[in-house]
Amino acid sequence: DVAGNTQNVFTAANSSFTMTVDKDAPTIAITQPALAAYTPADAATIGIQGTASDPLVNGTSANLLVSGIDVLLWHVVGPTSYYWTGAAFSTTLSTVPADGTSWTAPTPSAAQYAAGGGGPADKVYYTMARAHDASVLADGNVSYTTGNVSGFSAGTSFIVDGTPPVSTMTGIVDGSYLNSLTVLNGTFNGALSGIQTVGVRITTNPATGPDWDGAAYTFTGVPLYNAVTLGAGTWTYGSL
């Protein structure tokens, strides 16, 4: 002061404050979904999962903000994007919150995936996520705009396909009598996710067998479907 006295006693949170500066954004990654395509039930079960962290830098970390994960889930029909709000799909840009270093976001139910939320039920979905840490303003306020925030993770896409594939047989007439049979042919359609396998069953009795196994008729493993050779929308079976 003017008289020459100097303060040498300090009171915590009054005349003495300690603070730590965290300028580094957290990290985030999506771990599920990891497959190219799911049924509506499987997509609802696996959900959207990921990891996040606010790593120590020079021994300092504000840690993750509670419910500080923003998750985007959307699909596109024509020129319009539909965003998951946590309850329904909307044309308004929306995110849903998640929390923790190993997080799971609220996602559509199997019925909501099957309904599609705009356009056909089978769709390609996209998801991204970002994380906020718990760093605050000087006055102690915490908000989604005050903490350090990561960029959105790289986009993950996956198909939700609830439509069973369809196969047909071509080149023979139902109920006909043949004196020889060397090959069977047909077509298939597995849109949207694509076909995985096609099997053909050859039997003398659909209820009990025996079924053809590629070399002989057998009662083992009935019903028995033999793998076919796939082409561009067509299949062929020649082990007769």
Side-chain angles (χ1 to χ4, degrees):
D1 60 16
V2 175
N5 302 300
T6 301
Q7 180 180 0
N8 54 24
V9 176
F10 301 93
T11 304
N14 187 341
S15 56
S16 176
F17 292 82
T18 299
M19 64 199 71
T20 304
V21 177
D22 181 350
K23 294 184 176 181
D24 294 281
T27 61
I28 192 163
I30 292 175
T31 57
Q32 294 287 354
L35 301 180
Y38 297 86
T39 65
D42 288 343
T45 298
I46 200 68
I48 300 175
Q49 304 175 41
T51 59
S53 67
D54 192 41
L56 289 172
V57 177
N58 296 323
T60 298
S61 172
N63 295 315
L64 296 171
L65 182 66
V66 175
S67 297
I69 312 296
D70 302 329
V71 181
L72 268 172
L73 173 65
W74 78 101
H75 64 79
V76 180
V77 178
T80 304
S81 294
Y82 292 83
Y83 300 92
W84 177 243
T85 67
F89 284 97
S90 169
T91 55
T92 301
L93 180 62
S94 303
T95 63
V96 292
D99 184 51
T101 56
S102 295
W103 53 267
T104 300
T107 51
S109 65
Q112 288 170 317
Y113 269 128
D122 297 346
K123 294 185 178 68
V124 179
Y125 288 83
Y126 307 90
T127 185
M128 298 189 302
R130 67 181 179 184
H132 303 257
D133 73 10
S135 56
V136 299
L137 295 173
D139 61 5
N141 287 326
V142 179
S143 76
Y144 285 109
T145 58
T146 60
N148 298 307
V149 58
S150 71
F152 273 105
S153 62
T156 296
S157 64
F158 60 99
I159 292 170
V160 176
D161 186 344
T163 302
V166 176
S167 64
T168 63
M169 192 172 294
T170 60
I172 60 175
V173 178
D174 187 31
S176 60
Y177 291 84
L178 304 176
N179 60 11
S180 67
L181 184 63
T182 59
V183 66
L184 294 174
N185 298 287
T187 64
F188 63 84
N189 185 343
L192 176 67
S193 58
I195 206 71
Q196 186 173 39
T197 61
V198 175
V200 60
R201 183 187 184 195
I202 303 169
T203 183
T204 61
N205 187 324
T208 64
D211 289 7
W212 181 254
D213 67 1
Y217 282 96
T218 178
F219 286 97
T220 303
V222 172
L224 182 62
Y225 288 88
N226 299 280
V228 303
T229 301
L230 299 179
T234 63
W235 60 264
T236 302
Y237 181 74
S239 298
L240 298 168

